[in-house]
Structure formats: C-alpha cells, structure tokens
C-alpha cells in the first residue's frame, strides 16, 4: 500500500497475482468440473452477443440488423467524404455492344439451324432487341465518364456516381466514372443465388445490403439526380419509389431523368394514368426524357439553375 499522498503509477498490463477466474476449477476439487465447464463454453448462450450469428439473425434482432444495414454503408460513405450522389439505374441485361452483337449472331446461327422452332425465334428476336438497346450501355458509360470528370467529383469527391453495383447499365456508368479517376459507388443486395459486383467500383465503396428498404434509403439519402435507363422490375421499382416520394413531398424534388423516350413511352403509358385520374397532370411533370449523355448533363444543370440551388448543396432529404 502506498503512503498517503503518493500518486500510484499506471497498472501494468500483466498482473503479478492472477485473478480467481483466470483458472478453471480443477478436477482435483471436482472430478466432473472440466466436463461441465466444456459444455458451458460450447453452448450458444455463452457466445458474446456480437459474435453470435444465429442470435443476430433471429427475428427478435431484426431491428438491430436494420440499424446495422444502414449504419455500415453510412459510415463508409462518411469515411470517404461522399456528401452527394448522382444515381444511375438501368437493366442488368443490357451488355456492352460487342457482347450484345456476339449474342445476336449466336442467336441467328441457332435459328438458321432450325428456323421453325418458336423458342429459337423468340430468343433470336430478343437478342436483336438487346443489341439495339445496347447503345444505352455506351450512353451510360459516356455519362459516367462525364460525371467523373466534373471538378467537384474528380478533385473534391463531394459528388460521386452511385449505382446498384451490378452488370449492364450499372456497370457502364461505374465504368465511365472509374476510368475518369473518380469515386464509383455500388450498392449490392444479398440474394438467394450467387452474384458479383461489377469490377469498376472503388474498393471500400461497394456495400452489400440485406434489406431492399435500407438500400433504397441510401440510394436517395444523398441523391442530387436520378437517371434511369431502360430496365425491368428493379429499375421500375426504383423509379416509382422516387416518383412517389417526390409526388408526396416526402423528399425534396430532384431531377428525375428517363433515358430513351421510345422505351419508356411504351413501357409506361403516363398520359393514360393522367386520363384515368389516378395521377394528376402535374405528376407527369415530375420527370423528363433524354437521349444522350450531353442532354442528361444539361437537364441536371438547368434544373438546379432554375431552382436557384447549387448542385453540390442539398437540403435534408430523408
């Protein structure tokens, strides 16, 4: 014991005298003690909570998992100083033109071998349509490159391009930003079958989510524009989610650009929705169409100019 008034030094890491619980009860004291202790240590209950995967995946812990799903990506984006994003959606099934051309040619070869086969006819027809639509891969890549070369993106990194991180149109946009030397973000989702992110994402900025809802929140939480290329259910889901949030003013309005008027006008009959009275005429003005990368960029710039807002500043959204 130190004399009164003397300041103790810091406690050394190793103790001179071990604490009682640092040694298990000896078999000499209780023959069955080691066996019982081993059973305790092996039990699921003894696992520390954050190491107990079964517990973390239980129904009761869904609230904690929701929070973790949001916070991991949030912390990653903060660490990389990503303040704003321009989000690109589009089909995973629209490959780059060279790949689409090869598939179309393969379809023709198979059809030539059996011209009357209905399945081959359909496959060849779809391959030809995909080849036609593969121009959007090029446009998405050009757009990603243009965004990546913006000073605020390339140098400051305050705006980054974000996609779902998959193949097709998302790959194209990420590819353009990546080759421009800018940050390229992907938000993947865990699915019942194996998948891989596209290779044009910045390491540390590809996040994998369990919940679609939290992934959607991150798509819009920093979004300064939404650019949707032709796509299927997933693309439609994200477009209508955003339109609904803007329509109801749950989030601040932002540019919503549908690329490819021919595709979108046939895929969704917006005038019909207005005529049927299920949306108001003003709801059909929440988005616009574009055909080229330059048009998309101009629309975004003009939208913010008309709103009197700078592109890199954003009011609270979600």
């Amino acid at each position: 014991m130190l004399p009164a008034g003397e300041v103790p030094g810091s406690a050394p890491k190793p103790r001179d005298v071990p604490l009682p619980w640092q040694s298990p009860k000896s078999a000499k004291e209780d023959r069955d003690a080691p066996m019982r202790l081993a059973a305790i240590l092996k039990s699921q209950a003894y696992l520390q909570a954050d190491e107990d995967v079964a517990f973390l995946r239980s129904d009761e812990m869904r609230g904690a998992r929701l929070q973790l799903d949001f916070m991991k990506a949030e912390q990653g984006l903060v660490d990389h100083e990503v303040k704003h994003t321009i989000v690109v959606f589009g089909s995973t099934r629209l490959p780059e033109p060279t790949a689409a051309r090869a598939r179309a040619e393969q379809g023709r070869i198979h059809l030539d071998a059996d011209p009357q086969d209905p399945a081959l006819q359909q496959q060849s027809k779809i391959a030809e349509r995909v080849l036609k639509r593969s121009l959007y891969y090029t446009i998405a890549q050009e757009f990603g490159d243009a965004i990546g070369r913006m000073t605020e993106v390339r140098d400051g990194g305050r705006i980054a391009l974000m996609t779902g991180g998959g193949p097709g149109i998302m790959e194209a946009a990420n590819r353009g930003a990546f080759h421009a030397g800018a940050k390229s973000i992907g938000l993947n989702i865990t699915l019942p079958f194996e998948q891989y992110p596209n290779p044009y994402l910045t390491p540390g900025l590809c996040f994998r989510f369990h919940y679609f809802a939290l992934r959607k929140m991150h798509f819009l939480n920093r979004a300064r524009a939404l650019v949707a290329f032709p796509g299927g259910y997933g693309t439609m889901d994200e477009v209508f989610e955003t339109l609904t949030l803007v329509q109801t003013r749950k989030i601040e309005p932002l540019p919503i650009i549908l690329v490819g008027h021919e595709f979108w006008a046939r895929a969704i009959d917006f005038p019909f929705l207005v005529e049927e009275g299920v949306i108001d005429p003003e709801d059909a003005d929440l988005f616009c169409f574009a055909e080229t990368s330059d048009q998309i960029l101009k629309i975004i710039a003009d939208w913010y100019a008309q709103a009197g807002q700078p592109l890199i500043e954003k009011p609270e959204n979600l």
Side-chain angles (χ1 to χ4, degrees):
M1 182 176 293
L2 297 174
E6 186 171 336
V7 179
S10 61
K13 288 280 184 182
R15 289 178 54 87
D16 294 329
V17 180
L19 292 165
W21 52 79
Q22 288 183 259
S23 299
K25 190 172 183 65
S26 170
K28 293 180 180 179
E29 299 173 8
D30 183 341
R31 184 182 60 184
D32 295 331
M35 178 185 65
R36 290 199 294 269
L37 178 59
I40 292 169
L41 296 178
K42 286 181 181 178
S43 71
Q44 193 80 13
Y46 193 74
L47 281 172
Q48 188 172 293
D50 61 351
E51 297 174 352
D52 188 343
V53 175
F55 169 71
L56 291 173
R57 290 179 177 173
S58 67
D59 287 344
E60 292 76 13
M61 286 297 103
R62 183 171 285 112
R65 293 200 305 276
L66 285 162
Q67 185 176 10
L68 290 170
D69 221 28
F70 176 80
M71 284 306 303
K72 182 171 183 182
E74 178 66 18
Q75 191 59 57
L77 292 168
V78 169
D79 289 345
H80 281 265
E81 299 181 337
V82 177
K83 183 163 183 163
H84 310 296
T85 57
I86 292 177
V87 182
V88 176
F89 294 126
S91 177
T92 61
R93 293 174 171 83
L94 292 181
E96 53 189 300
T98 52
R101 197 172 297 111
R103 292 178 192 176
E105 180 59 30
Q106 194 66 29
R108 294 182 202 118
I109 292 172
H110 289 158
L111 184 60
D112 287 345
D114 190 357
Q116 303 306 315
D117 187 317
L120 292 178
Q121 290 173 1
Q122 183 183 42
Q123 290 172 13
S124 181
K125 183 178 179 180
I126 292 173
E128 296 293 344
R129 297 290 294 177
V130 169
L131 174 58
K132 178 181 177 181
R133 300 293 181 196
S134 68
L135 69 91
Y136 291 114
Y137 185 103
T138 302
I139 296 171
Q141 187 172 351
E142 290 172 351
F143 177 69
D145 179 81
I147 292 298
R149 293 183 188 283
M150 291 170 58
T151 302
E152 300 93 334
V153 177
R154 188 186 62 250
D155 300 333
R158 292 170 60 80
I159 301 180
L161 186 133
M162 175 183 281
T163 77
I169 293 298
M170 294 177 287
E171 173 189 291
N174 287 131
R175 189 175 189 172
F178 173 80
H179 285 303
K183 293 174 182 176
S184 183
I185 305 170
L187 306 185
N188 274 188
I189 188 78
T190 300
L191 298 171
F193 40 84
E194 189 175 25
Q195 62 167 336
Y196 294 97
N198 72 64
Y200 305 107
L201 302 167
T202 301
L205 283 174
C206 180
F207 305 101
R208 188 158 58 116
F209 290 81
H210 177 77
Y211 296 101
F212 272 104
L214 274 300
R215 180 175 180 249
K216 286 182 176 182
M217 183 175 287
H218 270 296
F219 275 134
L220 293 178
N221 201 33
R222 290 170 168 80
R224 296 296 273 161
L226 170 69
V227 181
F229 287 78
Y233 289 160
T235 302
M236 303 286 182
D237 179 39
E238 301 296 350
V239 167
F240 278 105
E241 171 93 6
T242 308
L243 286 172
T244 301
L245 290 171
V246 174
Q247 178 196 48
T248 58
R249 302 303 188 266
K250 188 69 175 176
I251 64 172
E252 295 288 336
L254 75 165
I256 301 172
I257 304 159
L258 307 183
V259 184
H261 181 272
E262 179 193 359
F263 171 86
W264 287 105
R266 183 173 178 186
I268 307 168
D269 193 339
F270 290 104
F272 173 74
L273 298 179
V274 174
E275 291 168 7
E276 290 295 302
V278 294
I279 65 172
D280 293 320
E282 65 183 273
D283 297 326
D285 296 331
L286 296 177
F287 60 90
C288 61
F289 298 101
E291 302 297 332
T292 67
S293 174
D294 288 343
Q295 287 179 4
I296 302 168
L297 291 165
K298 187 175 187 306
I299 289 169
I300 294 173
D302 289 350
W303 192 98
Y304 279 98
Q306 292 176 17
Q309 299 178 27
L311 179 61
I312 64 169
E313 290 183 9
K314 162 185 169 295
E316 284 298 320
N317 235 7
L318 293 175

